[in-house]
Amino acid sequence: MDTRDWPIRAKLTALVVTPVAALLALWIFATTLTFGPALDLLSARTLLYDLGRPGEVVVTELQRERRLSVVQLAGPAALPALADQRRRTDAAIAELRDRVGGDKLRDAAGELLDARLDKLVAALDALPAGRGFIDRRQVDRAGAVGLYSGMISFAFQTFSAMAALPDPELNREALALTALGRSRDLLGQADALVAGALAGGRFSDGEHLLLTQTIGNERFLVDTAVADLPPEARSAYQRLTEDRAFVQLRTLQEGLLRADPAAPPPVDARSWQTSHDAVQQALRDFELSQADGLAERSVPVAVGILVRLAVAGLLGLAAIVVSLLVAVRVGRTLARRLTGVRSAALEMAEQRLPDVVARLRRGEQVDVAREAPPLEYGADEIGDVGRAFNEVRRTAVRAAVDEVTLRRGLNEVFLNIARRSQGLVHRQLALLDRMERRTEDPDELAELFRVDHLATRLRRHAEDLVILAGAAPGRGWRQPVAVLDVVRGAVSEVEAYDRVDIGAVQPAGVVGRAVADVIHLLAELIENATAYSPPETRVEVSGQQVPRGYVVEITDHGLGMTPQAVENANRRLARPPEFDPADSARLGLFVVSRLAARHGVRVTLRSEAPGGVTAVVLVPSDLVTEEPPAAPVNTGRSASVVTRLATLPRPRAGRALRDRAEQTVLPFAPARSSSVEAAPDGDGLPRRVRRRGPVARPRPQVAEAPAARSPEEVRRQMSALQAGTARGRRDGAVRSVPPGRPDGAVPAPTGGRTEGRGGDPAPSPPPGATAATPDSPTATERDA
């Protein structure tokens, strides 16, 4: 039986119940063993008066009927006295049968006595048949003596079963009285033999020998029985044997033993009968008086046994009760103390320690001594366990304080590194922007575009560190930004931006305070989509207005995710966990979940068939507004400021955007000194107009309208467009530069941007993308 998993109360109950139950069983057993003999002693009177007295009467009547039956067999005619005796015998047997059949005697009798009673009743049932043999003279005198002696022997066997008293002295006396009764019966057998010989004139064959054996047995039983009698009873029997009738009967027996068996008995019939009857009656009275005394003495003995039993039983019961109370009290004390230790441990593990950690993370000061006060559990082994637990609690609280302090310091390190990196990246972006404005060489401008794109991605990764540290990135907008611009800004911050198709995007705007985080969130999801899908596949981005906000869907056709992985990722996105430096495999999901939780954005992943994953981004209604109007386009070459937002169209599909760029961008002359005009086209984009100048180096000739262009060619064309835009801005808007902006960037009229720490001017768009304004997330706000 394995008890290791039992509750402590069950174990203590088992420890208490097992010995107490064993002690109770022993007490019940000892009480039963003692109570039984006491009941036997109390039932001695019942056995004496319901069996002893009626049985003794039956024995006496059978002895008399035996003598008369032998005398009748010795003479020629029937004796009238025999018929009268038979009626008295039948009456005595009927009385005995009534007593034997009663419940009172049977309840007091044991198993042995019950069996002996049944045998006695069966032997008495054979008496009528024996009488018939005697009446028909089918038995001799010795046979008649044996017939009655057998029934009398069953009676004495029953009396011997009565002598089973628990007290040794009383039991020995009862057996001695039973032996005296047997000797008296042997004396009656001798009387029957002598009476038959006197009536017949002589002993028949074998009767004298049987008489000799009977007298010898009678004397042996008397000597044995008298030796077991108490001293008073033995003295009384000695006085009884000194009576004249006993002396005369002993003299007559000696004469019969010395007489010739063939001669007539040498005794007088009257003298023999007188002395025998006197001795029989004296012995019977002695036996009855001793039996009455024995029954009377058994009652005090039984009462004494019951008193001792009651005292022992009460003491045993009191001991059991005391043992039970002590065991229960000690068990409850142990259980309460152990429960206290367990409760303290659970409270520390489930309440105190998490509360301490939460307070430490909130920046509160924690007193270790107050949060882990010492608890007293006693001076025993449980107290030792309690003191050890006190040390464990203090160590746990100190470890929690150290861990949170270390985590806070790690976050500060992250934040410090991120802020430094942000400052450097912003300065780098500003430098790149100035270099892009001054560069006219398309190849150099293309390289600068690539460096600009890498720096933008570096800024997004720096912002990841800020988010991991629990702080907010420094970028922000005051005015709403169109969802399309937000999506394009997120695409521009992805390495494989050329694999992203912007599908149908319904017009809407995002409030300024959430623009930077939404761009960062979408950029992380789009980058995951491009990273976990084959290079030849496309990533599709679409958006639509829904009753609860605005939904942006990002779908890839890549490896996909297992249902269990999707479930785990959605659970992490719904409830952002604490950042664990040991779990660095899902930093993107952690950043997305942090950004989503900051603004109440809901991000859900779902598997697509036959492969791929769709990320569904639900921007809540409080972050969605009407799409802001586009900035007015300035068509003059040297008049007013030309901003990127003023020249940015808002197509609804990425493919149309690329096609229009290919149609509107023209190649420029391969001369470093060639001048550039910003001539507006029908869609608001400036067109580069090539003019001949001094040839600085050979330029590849490009057809006016090529049928198909490679990505490198398109990139060079877009670089030329950027250079022309920068030239136009310097020529037409140099006088409108506000104080503090030496780079020449002019804020857009449709929404200002709030620069955070390390803010940067608007960098150039990546190769292949349409130019954007400084306030547009595509150009300036690339997510980390």
Side-chain angles (χ1 to χ4, degrees):
M1 182 175 60
D2 189 5
T3 61
R4 290 179 299 176
D5 296 333
W6 287 15
I8 188 62
R9 291 187 181 274
K11 293 179 181 179
L12 292 177
T13 302
L15 290 176
V16 171
V17 169
T18 301
V20 170
L23 182 61
L24 182 62
L26 290 176
W27 176 78
I28 294 174
F29 180 71
T31 303
T32 303
L33 289 180
T34 308
F35 190 66
L39 293 180
D40 292 339
L41 288 174
L42 292 177
S43 64
R45 292 174 60 87
T46 301
L47 296 178
L48 176 63
Y49 291 108
D50 288 353
L51 178 59
R53 289 295 177 86
E56 192 276 332
V57 173
V58 170
V59 168
T60 301
E61 298 300 332
L62 288 175
Q63 289 172 348
R64 291 172 181 173
E65 185 175 341
R66 177 180 59 189
R67 186 177 188 279
L68 292 175
S69 298
V70 172
V71 172
Q72 177 176 299
L73 291 175
L79 295 177
L82 181 58
D84 295 337
Q85 181 58 44
R86 286 178 176 177
R87 286 192 293 272
R88 289 193 294 271
T89 302
D90 291 340
I93 291 175
E95 177 66 20
L96 179 62
R97 288 180 184 275
D98 292 340
R99 298 295 181 89
V100 170
D103 294 337
K104 187 176 181 181
L105 177 60
R106 290 290 184 176
D107 292 339
E111 294 181 0
L112 179 61
L113 184 56
D114 277 338
R116 297 285 175 86
L117 286 175
D118 294 337
K119 291 182 179 180
L120 175 60
V121 172
L124 294 176
D125 289 339
L127 181 59
R131 288 172 178 176
F133 291 129
I134 293 173
D135 292 341
R136 293 189 297 272
R137 296 183 181 273
Q138 294 178 347
V139 295
D140 56 4
R141 290 179 295 182
V145 171
L147 175 65
Y148 285 97
S149 297
M151 289 183 286
I152 294 172
S153 176
F154 278 112
F156 278 107
Q157 290 177 6
T158 305
F159 296 156
S160 298
M162 292 172 54
L165 301 177
D167 187 78
E169 296 295 332
L170 295 179
N171 194 57
R172 185 167 56 251
E173 184 178 355
L175 291 176
L177 291 178
T178 302
L180 284 178
R182 285 180 177 274
S183 69
R184 187 166 59 86
D185 178 63
L186 292 175
L187 185 60
Q189 293 182 28
D191 174 61
L193 293 173
V194 173
L198 292 174
R202 58 182 297 277
F203 289 104
S204 60
D205 294 339
E207 285 185 349
H208 188 272
L209 178 59
L210 182 59
L211 176 63
T212 302
Q213 294 174 351
T214 302
I215 292 175
N217 291 335
E218 181 263 336
R219 291 179 179 178
F220 173 77
L221 284 178
V222 167
D223 293 340
T224 304
V226 171
D228 289 337
L229 289 175
E232 297 83 2
R234 189 165 52 249
S235 299
Y237 186 82
Q238 292 295 335
R239 289 192 299 270
L240 183 65
T241 57
E242 293 174 359
D243 189 66
R244 187 176 64 84
F246 275 87
V247 175
Q248 184 180 359
L249 182 61
R250 178 64 64 88
T251 302
L252 295 175
Q253 288 177 346
E254 294 294 334
L256 289 172
L257 294 175
R258 290 192 300 269
D260 184 8
V267 294
D268 179 62
R270 181 178 294 276
S271 297
W272 173 265
Q273 185 68 35
T274 302
S275 60
H276 175 268
D277 291 343
V279 170
Q280 279 279 1
Q281 187 62 39
L283 290 175
R284 183 185 179 192
D285 293 340
F286 178 78
E287 292 173 13
L288 292 177
S289 63
Q290 291 298 320
D292 291 339
L294 179 65
E296 294 298 330
R297 289 196 302 275
S298 65
V299 174
V301 174
V303 172
I305 293 175
L306 290 177
V307 170
R308 291 195 298 272
L309 173 64
V311 174
L314 290 176
L315 291 178
L317 184 60
I320 291 174
V321 172
V322 171
S323 301
L324 185 61
L325 291 176
V326 171
V328 169
R329 183 177 181 84
V330 173
R332 292 180 62 183
T333 302
L334 290 176
R336 185 171 59 253
R337 295 173 64 192
L338 291 175
T339 303
V341 174
R342 183 192 65 178
S343 300
L346 292 177
E347 181 187 6
M348 172 57 65
E350 297 176 358
Q351 298 179 11
R352 279 185 175 269
L353 200 57
D355 180 66
V356 169
V357 173
R359 288 163 54 194
L360 287 171
R361 288 175 179 172
R362 292 195 300 266
E364 300 180 11
Q365 295 295 327
V366 174
D367 185 3
V368 177
R370 187 175 65 85
E371 295 298 334
L375 302 178
E376 296 296 332
Y377 296 101
D380 56 356
E381 289 80 0
I382 298 178
D384 295 338
V385 174
R387 285 187 290 275
F389 175 68
N390 287 333
E391 293 299 326
V392 170
R393 290 200 312 160
R394 283 192 290 268
T395 303
V397 173
R398 283 195 297 266
V401 173
D402 295 341
E403 189 270 337
V404 174
T405 304
L406 177 62
R407 186 181 292 253
R408 187 183 300 161
L410 182 61
N411 290 341
E412 292 294 335
V413 171
F414 283 169
L415 191 58
N416 190 12
I417 294 175
R419 294 303 188 191
R420 292 185 180 185
S421 299
Q422 277 184 318
L424 294 176
V425 170
H426 282 292
R427 291 169 60 187
Q428 181 182 4
L429 288 172
L431 178 60
L432 287 173
D433 191 56
R434 290 194 296 271
M435 293 175 64
E436 289 169 0
R437 298 175 191 272
R438 293 194 299 265
T439 301
E440 297 181 1
D441 188 342
D443 293 332
E444 292 180 0
L445 187 60
E447 294 298 327
L448 289 175
F449 258 143
R450 295 174 63 184
V451 175
D452 182 276
H453 183 66
L454 292 175
T456 305
R457 290 173 57 205
L458 284 175
R459 182 179 61 184
R460 180 161 60 88
H461 293 313
E463 287 185 356
D464 284 345
L465 289 177
V466 175
I467 295 170
L468 292 178
R475 293 185 297 161
W477 272 259
R478 291 189 301 270
Q479 301 299 327
V481 176
V483 173
L484 178 60
D485 293 342
V486 171
V487 172
R488 288 161 57 193
V491 172
S492 68
E493 298 193 4
V494 177
E495 180 178 8
Y497 61 88
D498 55 338
R499 292 174 46 205
V500 181
D501 291 336
I502 301 177
V505 178
Q506 293 182 0
V510 179
V511 297
R513 58 185 172 85
V515 168
D517 290 340
V518 173
I519 292 176
H520 196 151
L521 185 150
L522 294 177
E524 292 287 348
L525 294 175
I526 294 173
E527 188 164 54
N528 279 346
T530 59
Y532 293 100
S533 61
E536 67 274 6
T537 61
R538 311 292 298 177
V539 175
E540 301 170 359
V541 182
S542 62
Q544 61 179 343
Q545 196 109 17
V546 295
R548 291 184 297 172
Y550 196 92
V551 170
V552 178
E553 293 187 356
I554 304 168
T555 303
D556 67 79
H557 304 283
L559 304 177
M561 300 173 65
T562 63
Q564 182 64 34
V566 171
E567 181 181 353
N568 293 337
N570 286 331
R571 183 168 56 251
R572 177 175 293 194
L573 291 171
R575 294 184 298 273
E578 291 293 333
F579 172 62
D580 186 4
D583 185 13
S584 60
R586 295 291 184 268
L587 287 181
L589 286 181
F590 178 80
V591 171
V592 170
S593 63
R594 277 286 183 90
L595 293 173
R598 184 178 299 167
H599 298 285
V601 177
R602 182 177 178 183
V603 181
T604 307
L605 304 182
R606 68 166 183 259
S607 298
E608 296 293 336
V613 175
T614 296
V616 181
V617 180
L618 175 60
V619 182
S621 302
D622 56 343
L623 300 181
V624 180
T625 183
E626 294 293 332
E627 184 177 60
V633 178
N634 191 335
T635 60
R637 289 183 56 187
S638 60
S640 59
V641 177
V642 179
T643 66
R644 294 181 182 180
L645 185 58
T647 61
L648 180 64
R650 289 184 181 164
R652 300 304 173 191
R655 180 64 62 184
L657 179 61
R658 288 194 296 271
D659 293 342
R660 182 161 50 188
E662 293 178 358
Q663 295 172 3
T664 56
V665 177
L666 297 178
F668 54 89
R672 176 175 297 275
S673 60
S674 61
S675 60
V676 180
E677 293 183 4
D681 199 355
D683 56 1
L685 285 174
R687 173 176 298 182
R688 304 256 331 184
V689 180
R690 182 176 54 184
R691 291 188 299 176
R692 288 289 180 179
V695 178
R697 62 179 176 176
R699 295 289 185 177
Q701 298 297 325
V702 181
E704 287 288 328
R709 295 181 176 87
S710 65
E712 292 297 327
E713 187 176 359
V714 174
R715 184 185 64 185
R716 287 195 296 271
Q717 293 171 357
M718 295 301 296
S719 300
L721 174 63
Q722 172 65 23
T725 304
R727 177 75 59 83
R729 182 182 298 110
R730 286 197 303 270
D731 293 343
V734 67
R735 297 179 181 179
S736 302
V737 175
R741 296 296 298 269
D743 56 355
V746 180
T750 57
R753 182 186 64 180
T754 304
E755 291 291 346
R757 183 187 304 178
D760 62 309
S764 303
T770 305
T773 68
D775 286 10
S776 168
T778 17
T780 59
E781 303 304 322
R782 293 168 175 80
D783 198 66

